[in-house]
């Protein structure tokens, strides 16, 4: 889809400092799906599903690994954790850690 | 788009304001979103949050959205319609221009949406999330008048309440007949959740009554979990008739409440006909629907395969392995919004991973789920192997209860994210 832009514009975008910083800090693949079930703390009444925004990334990585290997019982997170590699999980965890 | 027109559009994009916005890291211009359901409302919001400089207009006919998830509980008398209603004030507060109108036409070449009242909305990129329409030519005898006698209740609202009232008015001992369609259709487990909750209503309120579920399929979503639960909770009340045993409804007679199958006919006291469906009508008008009635899309950007510059989300889209669910619509919208912003900036969109989680209730305090994780592969969204699947067949009651709680939490969460 970048083909929609002429080369000159792409060349300008490729120069350092002109690339929007937001894109580099954007959510890694898969990360935006989490909020479909996990609301930020205090956002919904009596959640049975825990908030995960702001959780230390290392904790989330550990939990996902335990879900993936069956070391921690789950309702649905075992089935979802198995869809992500360790690297993908770490990227998602780091992004979520910065959210409130 | 022709080469000549492509150059013309590029010429327009090269105007100075566009370049200066690019240099400052802001996406150019205007995005119009057609449809204010889980996909469209999420997309409008996510676009504004991804780039506050973006002008985002949401076109939605209704002043408030009536959510389909949990509407089966409304039918069964377990919940009020008020709990299904969500307004658009939250979107307006995020800077989305909410226009209550009906999109009548789209000119993909001129990049304009025309509303029924004549308003013309120009766009740089268009997001279409029109949901479903009933195929009124899809089942012999089933037209809009017939739906007043035999409600489909497959769009939440008056139809939902009509079916509820019919069940309430039915005498004990009456036969309820449901007809479920062939794939694909909105909410694959929906007919079976509905059958479960209607069976619960009959069991607790009209115990001499029965429910016959006529199905145009031999297999369905979460099948083992549903059929196990039915055998335990609703024996002698709920009977499922698959395709191979004459389950396909081929004709209905609304005046006599009769459903004809390939094997015979059934006369109901209350009939719920879930007919064949297609993408919302504006999809065909915009040229983004193919001969199936649904909309083929690029699995990275959700851009239409048929019309550049238009992204199609939610139930209307042919999203590969992803089902037509509210969770999927919301997840797709967040991914597509980032892709739209990236494309407006001239950046390459990131290859996404998508998730679906879908809960069904087979009775109060008894929830089951299906999940999937998806990635683009060979041009379509494909299941990631080893991930996803349904709740275990042998889960204890406390897990079923926990999943029922999760279903309720999920609904509060996703509606807060989408509309709150």
């Amino acid at each position: 889809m970048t083909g929609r832009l002429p080369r000159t514009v792409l060349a300008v975008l490729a120069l350092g400092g002109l690339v929007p910083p937001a894109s580099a800090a954007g959510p890694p693949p898969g990360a935006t799906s989490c909020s479909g079930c996990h609301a930020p703390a205090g956002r919904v009444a009596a959640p049975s599903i825990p908030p995960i925004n702001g959780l230390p990334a290392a904790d989330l990585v550990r939990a996902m690994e335990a879900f993936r290997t069956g070391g921690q019982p789950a309702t649905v997170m075992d089935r979802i954790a198995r869809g992500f590699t360790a690297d993908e999980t770490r990227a998602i965890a780091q992004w979520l850690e910065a959210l409130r | 788009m022709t080469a000549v027109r492509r150059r013309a559009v590029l010429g327009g994009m090269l105007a100075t304001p566009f370049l200066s916005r690019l240099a400052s890291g802001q996406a150019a211009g205007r995005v119009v979103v057609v449809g204010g359901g889980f996909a469209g409302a999420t997309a409008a919001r996510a676009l504004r949050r991804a780039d506050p400089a973006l002008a985002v207009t949401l076109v939605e006919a209704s002043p408030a959205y009536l959510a389909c998830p949990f509407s089966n509980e409304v039918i069964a008398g377990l919940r009020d319609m008020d709990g299904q209603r969500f307004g658009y004030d939250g979107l307006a507060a995020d800077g989305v221009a909410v226009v209550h109108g009906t999109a009548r036409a789209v000119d993909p070449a001129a990049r304009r949406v025309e509303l029924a009242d004549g308003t013309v909305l120009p766009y740089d990129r268009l997001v279409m999330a029109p949901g479903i329409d009933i195929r009124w030519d899809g089942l012999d005898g089933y037209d809009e008048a017939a739906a007043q006698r035999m409600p489909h209740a497959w769009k939440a609202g008056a139809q939902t309440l009509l079916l509820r009232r019919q069940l309430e008015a039915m005498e004990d001992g009456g036969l309820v007949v449901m007809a479920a369609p062939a794939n694909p259709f909105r909410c694959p487990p929906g007919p079976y959740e509905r059958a479960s909750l209607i069976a619960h209503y009959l069991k607790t309120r009209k115990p001499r009554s029965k429910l016959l579920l006529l199905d145009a399929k031999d297999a369905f979503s979460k099948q083992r979990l549903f059929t196990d639960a039915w055998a335990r909770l609703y024996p002698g009340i709920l009977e499922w008739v698959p395709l191979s045993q004459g389950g396909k409804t081929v004709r209905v007679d609304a005046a006599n409440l009769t459903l004809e199958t390939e094997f015979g006919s059934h006369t109901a006291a209350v009939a719920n006909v879930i007919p064949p469906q297609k993408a919302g009508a504006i999809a065909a008008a915009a040229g983004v629907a193919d001969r199936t009635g649904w909309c083929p899309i690029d699995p990275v950007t959700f851009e239409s395969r048929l019309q550049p510059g238009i992204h199609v989300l939610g139930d209307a889209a042919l999203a590969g392995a992803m089902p037509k669910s509210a969770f999927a619509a919301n997840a797709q919208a967040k991914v597509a919004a980032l892709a739209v912003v990236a494309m407006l900036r001239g950046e390459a969109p990131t290859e996404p991973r998508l998730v679906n989680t879908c809960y069904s209730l087979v009775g109060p305090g008894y929830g089951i789920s299906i999940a999937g994780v998806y990635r683009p592969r060979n041009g379509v969204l494909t299941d990631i192997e080893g991930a996803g699947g349904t709740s275990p067949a042998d889960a204890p009651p406390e897990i079923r209860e926990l999943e029922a709680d999760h279903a309720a939490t999920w609904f509060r969460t996703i509606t807060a994210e989408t509309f709150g």
Side-chain angles (χ1 to χ4, degrees):
Chain A
M1 292 307 131
T2 50
R4 192 63 52 73
L5 288 175
R7 286 174 198 284
T8 47
V9 174
L10 290 177
V12 168
L13 285 170
L15 295 174
L18 287 178
V19 177
S23 64
T32 55
S33 284
C34 307
S35 59
C37 286
H38 295 272
R43 185 81 168 90
V44 301
S48 66
I49 301 169
I52 52 174
N53 289 6
L55 212 61
D59 292 358
L60 198 64
V61 166
R62 251 196 311 277
M64 287 287 276
E65 180 62 20
F67 286 136
R68 192 162 34 235
T69 58
Q72 182 166 335
T75 51
V76 72
M77 278 313 299
D78 51 346
R79 294 174 255 157
I80 292 170
R82 288 196 297 269
F84 294 93
T85 65
D87 285 348
E88 289 168 344
T89 302
R90 195 173 311 112
I92 292 170
Q94 284 165 358
W95 184 75
L96 286 170
E97 182 178 13
L99 292 186
R100 288 294 175 267
Chain B
M1 185 183 281
T2 65
V4 171
R5 188 162 294 128
R6 184 178 293 246
R7 276 198 296 275
V9 171
L10 286 173
M13 291 171 78
L14 280 171
T16 310
F18 175 73
L19 272 181
S20 63
R21 275 194 298 266
L22 275 181
S24 65
Q26 305 295 343
R30 308 147 299 180
V31 179
V32 174
V33 180
V34 172
F38 284 99
T42 302
R45 212 164 209 190
L47 283 161
R48 285 283 305 163
R49 289 181 179 182
D51 190 337
L54 213 55
V56 179
T57 303
L58 177 75
V59 179
E60 165 58 47
S62 306
Y65 182 67
L66 292 167
C68 275
F70 278 77
S71 68
N72 285 331
E73 286 206 347
V74 176
I75 290 167
L78 298 167
R79 182 180 175 88
D80 285 333
M81 199 60 160
D82 288 346
Q84 303 301 109
R85 187 173 285 108
F86 299 91
Y88 294 98
D89 290 352
L91 275 75
D94 276 355
V96 175
V98 180
V99 174
H100 291 297
T102 302
R104 181 173 63 190
V106 175
D107 183 339
R111 302 205 168 207
R112 304 186 330 170
V113 178
E114 187 183 321
L115 308 189
D117 68 1
T119 304
V120 171
L121 299 171
Y123 63 81
D124 297 307
R125 288 200 165 266
L126 174 63
V127 174
M128 298 190 70
I132 59 147
D133 268 345
I134 304 299
R135 277 183 47 201
W136 295 114
D137 60 349
L139 175 60
D140 192 9
Y142 197 72
D143 57 15
E144 284 169 282
Q148 294 306 310
R149 286 278 288 157
M150 306 171 120
H152 54 77
W154 218 239
K155 294 182 178 189
Q159 281 274 305
T160 311
L161 295 172
L162 176 61
L163 181 55
R164 174 175 169 158
R165 283 197 306 274
Q166 289 183 350
L167 288 167
E168 287 168 351
M170 186 183 79
E171 299 206 356
D172 189 10
L175 175 67
V176 181
V177 182
M178 285 181 63
N183 295 323
F185 59 96
R186 161 179 280 178
C187 190
Y192 312 97
E193 178 188 70
R194 176 175 295 176
S196 305
L197 295 179
I198 289 177
H200 171 78
Y201 173 79
L202 298 179
K203 181 182 177 179
T204 51
R205 307 291 291 275
K206 291 172 184 168
R208 291 167 49 232
S209 306
K210 287 199 172 14
L211 168 63
L212 194 60
L213 173 53
L214 304 173
D215 203 335
K217 303 178 292 305
D218 279 323
F220 59 86
S221 177
K222 310 179 202 173
Q223 182 165 354
R224 165 104 194 263
L225 295 169
F226 275 114
T227 54
D228 283 359
W230 293 343
R232 196 153 4 143
L233 299 175
Y234 311 121
I237 296 175
L238 196 171
E239 182 188 349
W240 174 61
V241 185
L243 171 69
S244 58
Q245 290 170 35
K248 184 181 180 186
T249 301
V250 294
R251 208 183 84 78
V252 299
D253 176 354
N256 295 306
L257 290 179
T258 300
L259 298 89
E260 279 179 35
T261 70
E262 287 164 336
F263 286 30
S265 78
H266 305 275
T267 299
V270 172
N272 169 217
V273 175
I274 304 167
Q277 298 148 36
K278 61 183 179 182
I282 189 64
V288 294
D290 69 13
R291 274 181 295 179
T292 67
W294 306 100
C295 306
I297 47 105
D298 177 282
V300 173
T301 62
F302 291 85
E303 188 171 30
S304 167
R305 294 278 193 206
L306 305 178
Q307 297 290 353
I310 303 180
H311 302 252
V312 186
L313 308 176
D315 291 352
L318 284 168
M322 288 192 87
K324 300 185 186 304
S325 75
F327 190 109
N330 167 272
Q332 291 169 5
K334 288 180 279 188
V335 163
L338 293 170
V340 165
V341 169
M343 292 164 87
L344 287 169
R345 287 173 174 166
E347 299 168 10
T350 310
E351 186 189 90
R353 296 290 180 276
L354 286 128
V355 175
N356 177 60
T357 304
C358 171
Y359 292 98
S360 303
L361 291 174
V362 291
Y366 193 133
I368 55 176
S369 66
I370 187 166
V373 189
Y374 314 90
R375 65 178 299 174
R377 203 181 189 95
N378 301 324
V380 293
L381 284 163
T382 311
D383 276 302
I384 292 178
E385 275 185 40
T390 64
S391 313
D394 57 356
E398 54 269 26
I399 293 294
R400 303 296 191 218
E401 190 163 358
L402 189 55
E403 290 220 286
D405 289 347
H406 286 351
T409 293
W410 166 77
F411 186 74
R412 290 196 292 274
T413 299
I414 202 160
T415 52
E417 183 177 61
T418 306
F419 302 102

